[in-house]
Structures are given as structure tokens and as C-alpha cells.
């Protein structure tokens, strides 16, 4: 029964997105947007349960067979991503009830919900689809929608950031399109499984072309998922967007493109071809450099949200690092990191956004003593920060441990240094914020306890995300083995 | 499954939560709550380690990440020592922290740290150990920066940077070791059976040793310890002479004898290099202590030097050496906490911080300074105090290895110890001219009793060392032999 759920999820999200503008009230927009997301969350969980029990399957959209019709491929990884995307977007939508009015003018609020549902629907489309051109269509929708949720806050810097994002993102889409065209001209197919068959048979005489095609995909999707040094759009977009949008952009938007990249490497080309080419080594190198450089750049930031945004560059570096290792364990670690980062970073962005919203202070130096004024919000930020630093029993530690194990399994012990240095660097920028927030005589003087704190009710969605961080920290083994079980179906 | 071991870990943390939220009506309720709570937890801990003796697997994240508690000789030794000293420190802290302020905050983190230390002692594998080791840094950090001044914050930052760098090395070592052995449980004699000693194993040992030696204040990773002396005296005494640095030492014993095993470490041929660092620690700590005017800083450098003795005893890898190291672990804890308490009393009652100011203070505070003198004599290693016993065993261990140089180092350092501690005693009791008139004399009984009792313990251990000696010899025999 669950076979058609992925399609229903996307349809529900899209239809609700276009239904929202029909009603002109904010309340209706919220009801429609959130109930659509809720339905999708339930369906995605059911899909995951089904896939877990019965294995991966293809779903023919419109009952046409593959070369003509469009197929979805749903395995455990896709199912997990569905649940992850819907959980995070539910939490963010829930949070937005209390927060989005402060950032947007009244007229724009329904538009925000339209854009979010469009965005999440298209991202899930990218994840589920087994057809390259179909993926491209969803990429375009998601690009527009993600620029939309940045620019929906009508400020000068938002328009600037969104333009920068739009230009670079379109460049990325263009490169992906060229890659698809090249692959199509080589094989005559758009369906991933069919392309793979054709590519394997023509590989020896067309290895150059394939290198170019993979290069196009790497750079194109690299721009969109902020692979260092193609991340330049990210800090602006994530900093100036409303808190809810920043959380979605960092937690989900970056991830969908990575999943597509993994599918292109493993499903479309396959390790037999990619292993021959130098691409993965370059991805590994860029990932490693990103892990260090992203953190170094974050240390230099004065603006809190910008610092958190640069930290995303470092965290995405881990994902590419894992992909670049080219082993099953590396890939599993990368996918686990996607989970870790999605939960942690959305919690961080929402708490940082709350601080900004309640105090109006952007700069880290102004936030001394904030732990007294907003103790719970800051506690959430602290747990998120500590997770990324790699304190045990939080998901970030598990993620780092997975990378360490993967590195040793791949016989590249020297890369352990990168993993560990990067986590130390994380401490250098998260701890000062936390320490100055909670401690220090001078900073706490004159601050009133819980002066600007949000009501606990409004913090619940972020607490849900933090509970996810703790859950994956305490019992991350289950998730990891689930991911490992799902990886064979990717090929 | 048996969740008993969690009680002494969780109970102080629950007390801490209570401390944070409950407003006590008057001072004596609060004192009763704290002292009663800490004492109750001492009894819980004793029951867990001596009566229930649990071994329990709490939960398993995957093969290597497993929370696992076990009671063995080492954990009995460490838990008993810290629990008893915690009771004394609690009693001592009441009046001191009343003067210092922000008591609620202090006692909250103080209790959390107690739970964490019990967790460290009971950890049955290095992963569990590592978790509590990280928590130890986090829970002691607010204590280090208690005063909240710029200087305190700077020291706190230093403390964090050193600790986390050390912990990162530990993590690296753990991963390397796990990749070879596939298990990280503490087993007497090590887990390397049937594993060839290759470069990776050696690297894992060296990295783990260096990582843990940050908290054990080994030169050149020691500079956080003197900096952390800005903390209130109960914090310096308990955390920086007892709990934090000693858990570094405890970790070194765990990795050397319970993960790698004496034989494997011996086969690695890295002992020589590590002992150079340790010898440097002993000598440098003593020499620098000579120049410190500030009493607490002088004691801090003395700690560095004394910790060097213990590390030396570990690296000797023979029975007498380890016996000496374990004895000194206990003796130094008792002695150093006494010395710190005395200095804290001086600071509290007179505000004097440097050696130049305390001229003639012995006349006004005969009991305090008397205890200080006895503890000093003990630390130098003059019989019949306990310091003599542990140094004797350390020297025996050095001779067994045919390394007379270690004995020479011990003797030189003993002379230096006398050189930096005796001047304090002499200035206090034998002023050249009459000292300034002091308004205050001996402190309240709540502060004085711990000092006197601890001094009594020092002397008692020196006169009758057999009880504890047999226990410790049992441990070292089970590990080497």
C-alpha cells in the first residue's frame, strides 16, 4: 500500500502550496501548510516502515515503464531522508508560528508557507526521483523556492543575498543540466538505472567524456550544497534570511543536493567507473579543506548567525569527506552526518534566531550575559554547539567517531588528524559564545534573569530538535546500521 | 541488570539540581543538606564498591561505544580517597565560600563534579571513562572561573583549551587502539594479548599518554594548573590537587596497566622518552616553585613536581614502582589538600597571599600553621610521615630497574621540596622581628577540624602504613607479575 506514498507526499505538498494563496488569511495558510506537512510526515514514516520490511522498490509514476515514464526509486536511504526532511520541516513550521510574524510583513506570511511547502516537496522530489531530468526540474523548483524564502523578508540585504544566491545557484543548475545533456548524448537515457547499464558498456571509449560529466555534476551540485570553495553564497543567504528559513536552508536544502550527488556517483556512474577517475580524491580533498577552512572562517566572524552559517560549510565538508573516502563506511558516515547536521544546525539557527529576534543584537560581542536573560534558549544553543564540538552522548560525537572508523578502515590514518583538528576548531568558536553567555561577572551585571526569554511553549519545537540530537547521540547505532543496510540499494 | 553503580553518580547530580532550585531558609539548613548529602553519597559509594560490587553494561551504542561500569581495586582506591576528601572539603567550604560569595553556584557545580568523579572511578572501559573525563572539564570550568574576573576568565579559557586539546589526543589514541584490538575494556594486564606491537599500537600508547598527561600537568602541558589557581581555595585544593589532576594520573594507570599492559609498554621502547619528560616535570616543578612568592602558586608548582613522582612510578613498570606511585597518589592528595586548606585559612583570615606577608603568623594561628608544618615535613619525605613511605617505594622501584639516576632525581627533588616549603614554616614561626599585629586568629571550627583530621591522617599513614600498603600491593601484584 505504501508504494505510492512518496508521490502522494510530493503532491500533497505541492497542491497545498498552491492552495494557500487562494485563502487570504494567515491562519488558513498556517493550517493548510502545517497539516500538509503533518500528513506528509505520517506518510513518510509509513513508507520507511514499509521499505524497511520489504526492501527497496521502483514506483512508476503514471504506470508507464521506465524509458518513457518517470520512475521513483525508494530504498531505506530515501525513506530515511523523507522522514528526516519532514520531521525537521515540521519542527521549523511549528516554530515559525511564533516567530515568522516578527520578520515578515503581514502580506508575506502566506507566501512564506507556500514557498516552504514548494521547497520541501521539490527537495523530496530530488531525493526520490530515479530520472535525471526529473531531478533537474525539481532542482529548478527548489532553487527558486529557496531564494524565495530568503527574499521573502523584504530588506535590502535580503535582496542582495538572494540575488547572489540566485546567480550562483542558477550557475550550478546550468552545470548540472550540461552534465545531464552530456550523459544523455552518450547513452540516450535519462533513467538512472538505464544510464548506468549503458555507461558501463561504453566506458572504455568514453572515459574522458564521463570525467567531464562527473566534473560538471560535482561542481554544479557542489555550488548548491556549499562545497568549499564554492560556498560563497551561503553565509549571506543564511545570515539574512528569517530564522525559520535559515534552519530549512542549512538543514534540508544543502542535503538534498548531496543525496543527488551520492546517487549520481553510486547509481548513475557506479563505483567501477568513478573508482577509476580522480574525482573522489578531489572531493575528499575539498571536503577536508572545507572542514578546516569553514571552521577557521567561522572563528573570524563577529555576527552570530554568520558564524553558525560558516560552521555549515565545515559540517558539509564532513559529508563530502565521507563521500570522498569512497568506502561503504565513509558513505554511511556521510549520511549519518547529514542527520546529525540537519538536527543540530536547525536547532542552532532557531535558537540564534530567537536571540536575535528578542534582543535585536547580532554581534557575538554584544551577547555577553545572554545566558542569564534567555537561559533556556541559550541552553539549546549550548547543546547544539557541544554536539558539533563532539562531546560524547550527543550526535556530533557519534558522527565524528564514524568518520574516524571510516578513515581507519580506508587505511588513511593520516586523515584522522583532519577530523580531530576540525572538531577542536569547532570548540574555538562555539565555546566563547557559550562561556560569555553564562559566565563572567562583568557580563552578567545588570542582566535580569529570564528578561527576554521566550515562553517555554514557543521553545518546544527547538527542544524536539535537540531531543533528536541527544537521541542520535545516545543510540546512534541503530540509525547507523539502518543506513548501512540501505547503502547496497543505492547501487 | 543491576543499576546500583548509577546511584553514587546520579545522587550528587540530583543534589546539585536541588541546590540550584531550592532557596534555603537559613544557612544551617543548607549546610545540613550539603554535608548530609555528601556523606550519604559516601555511604552509597562504599556500599556499591564493597558490598554490591556490581558489573553492569548500561547501554551499547555500537561495538566500541558502550557505557559500562565495573568495580575493581583501582576504583575502590580512587573512590574511597575522593569521597572522604569530598566530605572534608564540603565542611571546609562553608565558611570560605560564605566569604567568597555565589555559594549556590559553587555548590551546584561542586556536587556535579563529585558525581562525575565517581563515574570516572567506576568506568569499566575507556569510552565510558572518556565521557566522564570530558564532563569533568565542563563541570569544573565554572568552578575555575568562579570569581568571574577577567583574570579568572582568561585562566578558564586556558584550562578549556588545554583540556580539550588533551581530550582530542585521547580520542585519537582511543580510535587507533580500537582499530587494532576491537575492544576498549579495562582488563588487568591489558587487552593486547595476541596483538603484535606495531607502530600503530605504539603511537596509540604515546598519544593516549600525552593526552591524559595534560590533566596530570606533565611538563610541557602544565601551565594551565598554576593559572587555575585564581579559583577559590577549596576549588584549587580539591580539584587541582586532588580530583582533576589525579584523574589524569588515574587515567595513565588505567591505560598503562589495564589497556596495554606492563609487558607491552615495556616492549615499545618509548618509556625512555616519556621518562625524560617526567624527570623534567619533577625537577622543573620544584625549581619554579622556589621562585613563587604567591603561596598558592608555590603549592601549584609543587603539585606539578609531585605528580611527576607518580608518573615516574607508573613508568618504572615494576611492582615497587607502582606501589610507590599508588601510595603517593593517596599521600599527596591528603598532604596537598591540607596545605591548600591552611593557605586558604590564611587568605581568608588575613588576606595575605604571599610568603613575605605571613611573618610571625604562627603565633596567631598555631594550630593551622602547626598542621601546615607537619604536612610540609611529610611532603619532603621525612619519617615517620606518610610521604616517606611512598618515596621509599619509588626509590626501590628505581633501583630495581638499575636506574640510579631516578633515585638521584628523587633525592634532589626532596631537597628542593624542603627548600620551597620550609621557608614558609620558618617565616611563620620564627620572625626576625615581631610580626605585624593581627586582628584575627584561628578560623571557625568547621574549617579547622578538616585540617586537623587530615593532618592526623597524614601522620597515621606514616606510622601505620600497613593496612593501605597491603591493599595497594595487592593491586600492583595483580597488574605486574
Amino acid at each position: 500500500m505504501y508504494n505510492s506514498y512518496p508521490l502522494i507526499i510530493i503532491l500533497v505538498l505541492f497542491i497545498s502550496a498552491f492552495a494557500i494563496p487562494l485563502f487570504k488569511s494567515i491562519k488558513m495558510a498556517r493550517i493548510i501548510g502545517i497539516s500538509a506537512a503533518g500528513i506528509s510526515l505520517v506518510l513518510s514514516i509509513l513508507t520507511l516502515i514499509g521499505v524497511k520490511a520489504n526492501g527497496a522498490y521502483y514506483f512508476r509514476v503514471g504506470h508507464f515503464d521506465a524509458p518513457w515514464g518517470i520512475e521513483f526509486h525508494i530504498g531505506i536511504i530515501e525513506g530515511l531522508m523523507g522522514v528526516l526532511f519532514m520531521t525537521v520541516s515540521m519542527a521549523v513550521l511549528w516554530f515559525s508560528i511564533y516567530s515568522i510574524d516578527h520578520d515578515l510583513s503581514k502580506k508575506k506570511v502566506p507566501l512564506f508557507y507556500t514557498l516552504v511547502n514548494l521547497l520541501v516537496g521539490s527537495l523530496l522530489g530530488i531525493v526520490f526521483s530515479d530520472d535525471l531530468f526529473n531531478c533537474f526540474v525539481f532542482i529548478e523548483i527548489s532553487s527558486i523556492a529557496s531564494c524565495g524564502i530568503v527574499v521573502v523578508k523584504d530588506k535590502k540585504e535580503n535582496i542582495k543575498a538572494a540575488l547572489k544566491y540566485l546567480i550562483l545557484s542558477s550557475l550550478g543548475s546550468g552545470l548540472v543540466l550540461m552534465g545531464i545533456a552530456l550523459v544523455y548524448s552518450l547513452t540516450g537515457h535519462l533513467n538512472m538505472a538505464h544510464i548506468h547499464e549503458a555507461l558501463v558498456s561504453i566506458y572504455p571509449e568514453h572515459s574522458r567524456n564521463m570525467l567531464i560529466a562527473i566534473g560538471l555534476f560535482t561542481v554544479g551540485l557542489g555550488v548548491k550544497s556549499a562545497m568549499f570553495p564554492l560556498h560563497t553564497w551561503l553565509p549571506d543567504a543564511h545570515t539574512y534570511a528569517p530564522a525559520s528559513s535559515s534552519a530549512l536552508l542549512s538543514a534540508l536544502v544543502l542535503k538534498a543536493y548531496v543525496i543527488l550527488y551520492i546517487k549520481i556517483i553510486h547509481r548513475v556512474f557506479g563505483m567501477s567507473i568513478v573508482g577509476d577517475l580522480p574525482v573522489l580524491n578531489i572531493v575528499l580533498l575539498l571536503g577536508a579543506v572545507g572542514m578546516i577552512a569553514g571552521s577557521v572562517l567561522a572563528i573570524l566572524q563577529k555576527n552570530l548567525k554568520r558564524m553558525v552559517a560558516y560552521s555549515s560549510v565545515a559540517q558539509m565538508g564532513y559529508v563530502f569527506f565521507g563521500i570522498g573516502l569512497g568506502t561503504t563506511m565513509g558513505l554511511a558516515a556521510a549520511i549519518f552526518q547529514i542527520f546529525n547536521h540537519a538536527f543540530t544546525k536547525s536547532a542552532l539557527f532557531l535558537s540564534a534566531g530567537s536571540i536575535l529576534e528578542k534582543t535585536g543584537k547580532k554581534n557575538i560581542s554584544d551577547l555577553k550575559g545572554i545566558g542569564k536573560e534567555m537561559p533556556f534558549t541559550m541552553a539549546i544553543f549550548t547543546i547544539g554547539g557541544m554536539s558539533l564540538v563532539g562531546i560524547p552522548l550527543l550526535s556530533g560525537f557519534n558522527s565524528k567517531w564514524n568518520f574516524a572508523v571510516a578513515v581507519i578502515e580506508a587505511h588513511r590514518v593520516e586523515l584522522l588528524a583532519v577530523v580531530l583538528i576540525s572538531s577542536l576548531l569547532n570548540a574555538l568558536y562555539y565555546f566563547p559564545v557559550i562561556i560569555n553567555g553564562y559566565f563572567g561577572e562583568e557580563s552578567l551585571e545588570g542582566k535580569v534573569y529570564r528578561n527576554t526569554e521566550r515562553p517555554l511553549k514557543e521553545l518546544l519545537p527547538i527542544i524536539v530538535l535537540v531531543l533528536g540530537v541527544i537521541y542520535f547521540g545516545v543510540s546512534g547505532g541503530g540509525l547507523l546500521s539502518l543506513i548501512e543496510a540501505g547503502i547496497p540499494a543505492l547501487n | 541488570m543491576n543499576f546500583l553503580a548509577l546511584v553514587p553518580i546520579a545522587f550528587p547530580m540530583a543534589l546539585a539540581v536541588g541546590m540550584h532550585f531550592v532557596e534555603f531558609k537559613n544557612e544551617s539548613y543548607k549546610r545540613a543538606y550539603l554535608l548530609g548529602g555528601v556523606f550519604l553519597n559516601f555511604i552509597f559509594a562504599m556500599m556499591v564498591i564493597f558490598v554490591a560490587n556490581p558489573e553492569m553494561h548500561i547501554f551499547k551504542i555500537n561495538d566500541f561505544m558502550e557505557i559500562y561500569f565495573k568495580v575493581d581495586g583501582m576504583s575502590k582506591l580512587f573512590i574511597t580517597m575522593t569521597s572522604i576528601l569530598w566530605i572534608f572539603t564540603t565542611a571546609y567550604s562553608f565558611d570560605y565560600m560564605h566569604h567568597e560569595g555565589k555559594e549556590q553556584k559553587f555548590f551546584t557545580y561542586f556536587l556535579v563534579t563529585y558525581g562525575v568523579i565517581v563515574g570516572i572511578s567506576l568506568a569499566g572501559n575507556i569510552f565510558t571513562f572518556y565521557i566522564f573525563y570530558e564532563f569533568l572539564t565542563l563541570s569544573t570550568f565554572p568552578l575555575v572561573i568562579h570569581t568571574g574576573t577577567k583574570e579568572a576568565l582568561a585562566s578558564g579559557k586556558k584550562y578549556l583549551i588545554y583540556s580539550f586539546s588533551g581530550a582530542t589526543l585521547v580520542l585519537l589514541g582511543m580510535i587507533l587502539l580500537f582499530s587494532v584490538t576491537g575492544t576498549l575494556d579495562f582488563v588487568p594486564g591489558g587487552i593486547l594479548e595476541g596483538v603484535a606491537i606495531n607502530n600503530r599500537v605504539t603511537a596509540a600508547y604515546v598519544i593516549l599518554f600525552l593526552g591524559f598527561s595534560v590533566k596530570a600537568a606533565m611538563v610541557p602541558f602544565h601551565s594551565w594548573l598554576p593559572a587555575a589557581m585564581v579559583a577559590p581555595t577549596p576549588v584549587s585544593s580539591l580539584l587541582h590537587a586532588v580530583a582533576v589532576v589525579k584523574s589524569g594520573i588515574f587515567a595513565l594507570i588505567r591505560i598503562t596497566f589495564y589497556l596495554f599492559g606492563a609487558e607491552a609498554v615495556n616492549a615499545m621502547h618509548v618509556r625512555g622518552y616519556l621518562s625524560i619528560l617526567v624527570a623534567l616535570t619533577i625537577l622543573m616543578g620544584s625549581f619554579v616553585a622556589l621562585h613563587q612568592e604567591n603561596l598558592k602558586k608555590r603549592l601549584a608548582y609543587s603539585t606539578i613536581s609531585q605528580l611527576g613522582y607518580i608518573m615516574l612510578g607508573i613508568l618504572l613498570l615494576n611492582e615497587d614502582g607502582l606501589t610507590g606511585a599508588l601510595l603517593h597518589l593517596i599521600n599527596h592528595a591528603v598532604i596537598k589538600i591540607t596545605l591548600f586548606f591552611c593557605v586558604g585559612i590564611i587568605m581568608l583570615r588575613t588576606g595575605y597571599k604571599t610568603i613575605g606577608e605571613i611573618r610571625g603568623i604562627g603565633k596567631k594561628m598555631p594550630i593551622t600553621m602547626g598542621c601546615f608544618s607537619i604536612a610540609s615535613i611529610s611532603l619532603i619525605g621525612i619519617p615517620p610521615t606518610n610521604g616517606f613511605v611512598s618515596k621509599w617505594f619509588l626509590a626501590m622501584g628505581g633501583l630495581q630497574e638499575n636506574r640510579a639516576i631516578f633515585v638521584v632525581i628523587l633525592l634532589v627533588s626532596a631537597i628542593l621540596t624542603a627548600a620551597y616549603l620550609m621557608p614558609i614554616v620558618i617565616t611563620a614561626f620564627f620572625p626576625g622581628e615581631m610580626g605585624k599585629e593581627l586582628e584575627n586568629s584561628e578560623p571557625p571550627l568547621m574549617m579547622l577540624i578538616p585540617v586537623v583530621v587530615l593532618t592526623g591522617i597524614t601522620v597515621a599513614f606514616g606510622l601505620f602504613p600497613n593496612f593501605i600498603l597491603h591493599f595497594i600491593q595487592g593491586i600492583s601484584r595483580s597488574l605486574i607479575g
Side-chain angles (χ1 to χ4, degrees):
Chain A
M1 234 350 267
Y2 59 86
N3 280 13
S4 56
Y5 288 172
L7 181 64
I8 297 176
I9 292 172
I10 294 172
L11 288 179
V12 165
L13 289 169
F14 277 7
I15 292 170
S16 68
F18 291 114
I20 287 168
L22 297 181
F23 304 89
K24 284 201 171 141
S25 86
I26 295 177
K27 208 175 157 204
M28 275 311 281
R30 275 189 185 136
I31 292 171
I32 296 172
I34 292 173
S35 49
I39 294 168
S40 308
L41 175 61
V42 174
L43 292 181
S44 64
I45 291 171
L46 292 175
T47 313
L48 177 63
I49 294 170
V51 174
K52 219 174 125 185
N54 302 328
Y57 67 93
Y58 290 93
F59 176 72
R60 294 169 301 154
V61 179
H63 301 287
F64 292 108
D65 276 334
W68 301 281
I70 290 169
E71 274 187 344
F72 281 0
H73 174 265
I74 316 293
I76 291 178
I77 303 288
E78 287 89 346
L80 278 173
M81 285 300 143
V83 175
L84 170 71
F85 280 33
M86 290 325 301
T87 314
V88 174
S89 47
M90 262 311 268
V92 173
L93 285 173
W94 182 7
F95 179 81
S96 73
I97 298 176
Y98 311 117
S99 126
I100 201 75
D101 300 7
H102 297 273
D103 280 325
L104 306 184
S105 63
K106 276 231 161 75
K107 266 161 75 191
K108 293 283 168 64
V109 175
L111 181 61
F112 174 78
Y113 287 97
T114 302
L115 287 169
V116 167
N117 280 12
L118 259 185
L119 178 64
V120 178
S122 60
L123 292 176
L124 286 175
I126 297 172
V127 171
F128 293 150
S129 182
D130 201 35
D131 180 291
L132 271 185
F133 193 77
N134 192 233
C135 282
F136 176 73
V137 174
F138 283 124
I139 288 177
E140 287 295 70
I141 301 172
S142 65
S143 302
I144 304 292
S146 52
C147 287
I149 60 172
V150 175
V151 82
V152 72
K153 180 178 170 182
D154 237 347
K155 292 272 165 57
K156 204 164 115 198
E157 65 261 21
N158 286 69
I159 295 169
K160 228 165 107 187
L163 271 178
K164 194 170 174 185
Y165 184 19
L166 189 64
I167 292 168
L168 283 165
S169 179
S170 310
L171 202 67
S173 315
L175 292 175
V176 172
L177 184 62
M178 284 163 73
I180 295 172
L182 188 53
V183 168
Y184 184 70
S185 68
L186 285 174
T187 62
H189 285 295
L190 287 168
N191 181 286
M192 292 189 185
H194 288 83
I195 298 175
H196 179 62
E197 271 170 40
L199 281 178
V200 170
S201 63
I202 58 162
Y203 171 61
E205 62 260 37
H206 287 291
S207 61
R208 281 273 168 80
N209 283 332
M210 289 184 199
L211 181 60
I212 293 170
I214 297 186
L216 288 168
F217 285 124
T218 308
V219 177
L221 294 172
V223 171
K224 288 174 153 294
S225 50
M227 175 201 269
F228 188 85
L230 309 170
H231 65 278
T232 47
W233 57 270
L234 178 141
D236 287 332
H238 289 199
T239 309
Y240 298 124
S244 311
S245 306
S246 313
L248 284 177
L249 287 171
S250 62
L252 306 185
V253 177
L254 299 174
K255 307 300 159 42
Y257 304 122
V258 174
I259 293 291
L260 177 60
Y261 186 62
I262 292 173
K263 279 165 81 167
I264 285 174
I265 296 278
H266 287 264
R267 282 179 73 73
V268 177
F269 288 92
M271 278 309 284
S272 56
I273 294 177
V274 178
D276 254 11
L277 304 172
V279 180
L280 283 188
N281 279 330
I282 294 169
V283 172
L284 180 73
L285 181 70
L286 291 179
V289 174
M291 283 155 72
I292 306 283
S295 289
V296 171
L297 289 169
I299 292 170
L300 301 176
Q301 300 310 313
K302 294 194 178 88
N303 178 319
L304 181 66
K305 270 184 94 180
R306 215 179 170 80
M307 180 194 96
V308 178
Y310 269 109
S311 149
S312 288
V313 176
Q315 296 297 320
M316 290 312 288
Y318 280 90
V319 177
F320 287 111
F321 183 83
I323 297 171
L325 281 175
T327 58
T328 309
M329 187 60 207
L331 191 56
I335 294 173
F336 189 94
Q337 165 71 0
I338 288 178
F339 269 80
N340 163 41
H341 184 236
F343 276 93
T344 313
K345 195 47 69 68
S346 49
L348 279 172
F349 262 124
L350 294 185
S351 48
S354 294
I355 292 170
L356 175 67
E357 182 193 313
K358 288 287 175 184
T359 63
K361 289 172 185 163
K362 289 181 209 161
N363 287 342
I364 296 168
S365 52
D366 297 334
L367 291 172
K368 286 184 176 160
I370 192 75
K372 194 165 180 186
E373 291 184 310
M374 307 178 75
F376 300 115
T377 312
M378 201 55 203
I380 290 165
F381 187 88
T382 304
I383 295 177
M386 291 212 287
S387 165
L388 292 186
V389 173
I391 302 291
L393 301 186
L394 297 171
S395 64
F397 177 79
N398 278 9
S399 181
K400 262 157 215 163
W401 184 273
N402 293 337
F403 279 109
V405 172
V407 159
I408 288 177
E409 270 186 19
H411 302 293
R412 290 174 137 162
V413 182
E414 68 282 356
L415 292 174
L416 267 182
V418 180
V419 178
L420 293 171
I421 290 173
S422 164
S423 67
L424 256 188
L425 288 174
N426 274 307
L428 280 184
Y429 53 93
Y430 280 113
F431 275 127
V433 178
I434 297 165
I435 291 167
N436 288 328
Y438 278 116
F439 301 108
E441 198 80 317
E442 283 171 36
S443 349
L444 295 179
E445 220 175 284
K447 299 282 196 285
V448 181
Y449 181 65
R450 295 185 68 178
N451 188 17
T452 52
E453 181 63 289
R454 265 176 189 285
L456 218 48
K457 180 184 83 176
E458 302 187 2
L459 286 173
L460 267 181
I462 327 182
I463 292 172
V464 169
L465 291 170
V466 164
L467 287 180
V469 172
I470 296 170
Y471 176 75
F472 292 127
V474 173
S475 68
L479 178 63
L480 188 69
S481 44
L482 200 57
I483 291 171
E484 277 173 333
I487 284 178
L490 274 180
N491 298 318
Chain B
M1 212 192 283
N2 176 350
F3 280 95
L4 266 180
L6 287 182
V7 175
I9 299 171
F11 184 66
M13 302 199 179
L15 287 175
V17 174
M19 191 66 212
H20 186 74
F21 287 108
V22 177
E23 293 279 338
F24 288 95
K25 269 195 199 133
N26 65 37
E27 183 70 19
S28 52
Y29 284 166
K30 190 170 76 191
R31 291 186 178 193
Y33 174 82
L34 283 166
L35 205 54
V38 170
F39 190 71
L40 208 57
N41 199 56
F42 166 69
I43 292 173
F44 288 154
M46 290 303 111
M47 275 163 62
V48 164
I49 59 176
F50 288 110
V51 183
N53 212 347
E55 175 173 345
M56 43 179 232
H57 303 259
I58 304 290
F59 61 81
K60 215 171 171 172
I61 297 171
N62 42 35
D63 283 343
F64 30 85
M65 292 188 228
E66 186 189 8
I67 310 289
Y68 167 49
F69 293 107
K70 197 175 70 179
V71 176
D72 61 5
M74 271 309 289
S75 40
K76 281 179 189 167
L77 192 72
F78 199 64
I79 226 171
T80 314
M81 177 186 97
T82 44
S83 294
I84 292 176
L85 294 179
W86 225 274
I87 297 173
F88 286 124
T89 313
T90 312
Y92 177 86
S93 305
F94 291 141
D95 285 308
Y96 194 95
M97 294 316 292
H98 194 66
H99 171 77
E100 193 89 11
K102 290 189 280 186
E103 289 162 88
Q104 195 175 22
K105 204 170 178 182
F106 169 81
F107 282 111
T108 305
Y109 290 107
F110 181 76
L111 288 168
V112 171
T113 309
Y114 186 17
V116 171
I117 281 287
V118 176
I120 283 186
S121 338
L122 289 176
N125 60 22
I126 189 136
F127 178 72
T128 315
F129 190 99
Y130 174 78
I131 290 177
F132 283 102
Y133 194 73
E134 290 269 40
F135 287 165
L136 183 65
T137 309
L138 295 176
S139 68
T140 50
F141 172 74
L143 295 174
V144 172
I145 60 165
H146 185 78
T147 53
T149 56
K150 275 230 167 76
E151 195 197 354
L153 284 177
S155 303
K157 199 171 156 194
K158 198 168 189 178
Y159 177 53
L160 273 192
I161 292 174
Y162 273 82
S163 293
F164 276 108
S165 309
T168 306
L169 283 180
V170 170
L171 184 61
L172 175 63
M174 264 162 67
I175 295 165
L176 286 175
L177 181 64
F178 180 78
S179 74
V180 179
T181 61
T183 167
L184 290 172
D185 288 352
F186 292 137
V187 178
I191 52 173
L192 286 181
E193 214 158 283
V195 177
I197 307 295
N198 54 21
N199 283 342
R200 192 181 286 181
V201 178
T202 311
Y205 180 71
V206 173
I207 288 169
L208 279 173
F209 192 96
L210 294 179
F212 280 123
S213 69
V214 173
K215 274 233 170 75
M218 186 172 80
V219 173
F221 311 123
H222 64 284
S223 74
W224 63 270
L225 183 63
M229 286 300 133
V230 295
T233 308
V235 179
S236 326
S237 57
L238 184 57
L239 305 179
H240 298 112
V242 185
V244 172
V245 293
K246 291 292 155 62
S247 41
I249 297 282
F250 185 66
L252 292 178
I253 295 173
R254 284 290 198 201
I255 58 164
T256 308
F257 298 102
Y258 290 82
L259 281 183
F260 290 84
E263 259 174 63
V265 175
N266 197 15
M268 281 173 196
H269 303 295
V270 290
R271 253 195 322 150
Y273 304 105
L274 293 175
S275 7
I276 292 173
L277 286 179
V278 169
L280 213 66
T281 309
I282 298 177
L283 292 175
M284 213 201 89
S286 301
F287 274 117
V288 179
L290 282 175
H291 300 288
Q292 300 300 318
E293 275 297 302
N294 184 310
L295 290 171
K296 274 175 85 178
K297 285 229 163 125
R298 190 174 276 223
L299 291 183
Y301 279 104
S302 150
T303 301
I304 294 172
S305 155
Q306 301 292 323
L307 293 171
Y309 288 18
I310 307 176
M311 285 189 268
L312 182 67
I314 297 169
L315 283 178
L316 286 174
L317 296 178
N318 61 38
E319 203 188 310
D320 279 342
L322 183 59
T323 306
L326 290 174
L327 266 180
H328 207 58
L329 177 83
I330 307 277
N331 289 340
H332 173 252
V334 178
I335 297 171
K336 196 45 74 64
I337 206 168
T338 315
L339 291 175
F340 266 115
F341 280 179
C342 295
V343 170
I345 289 175
I346 296 172
M347 281 170 64
L348 181 71
R349 302 295 287 181
T350 65
Y352 296 156
K353 285 180 181 165
T354 60
I355 183 166
E357 292 169 316
I358 60 161
R359 198 166 282 279
I361 207 167
K363 288 225 169 95
K364 283 282 179 187
M365 302 184 175
I367 304 177
T368 309
M369 287 318 292
C371 291
F372 188 92
S373 315
I374 296 173
S376 304
I377 289 170
S378 184
L379 197 63
I380 298 164
I382 299 170
T385 50
N386 59 358
F388 172 72
V389 185
S390 43
K391 287 193 185 175
W392 173 266
F393 276 97
L394 284 173
M396 293 293 288
L399 287 176
Q400 265 180 40
E401 289 290 293
N402 287 328
R403 298 270 180 87
I405 179 77
F406 287 141
V407 183
V408 174
I409 291 176
L410 285 178
L411 288 175
V412 170
S413 174
I415 295 168
L416 289 170
T417 311
Y420 63 71
L421 282 179
M422 288 327 277
I424 302 177
V425 177
I426 293 168
T427 13
F429 278 113
F430 309 106
E433 68 259 39
M434 267 309 288
K436 274 179 279 180
E437 278 307 307
L438 288 170
E439 287 169 19
N440 291 318
S441 53
E442 294 290 0
L445 273 183
M446 270 305 243
M447 292 180 86
L448 206 54
I449 291 171
V451 176
V452 173
V453 175
L454 284 167
T455 313
I457 294 177
T458 307
V459 178
F461 276 2
L463 293 174
F464 315 106
N466 282 346
F467 167 68
I468 199 155
L469 190 61
H470 283 309
F471 185 72
I472 284 174
Q473 277 176 328
I475 296 177
S476 35
R477 212 167 288 141
S478 74
L479 294 176
I480 303 162

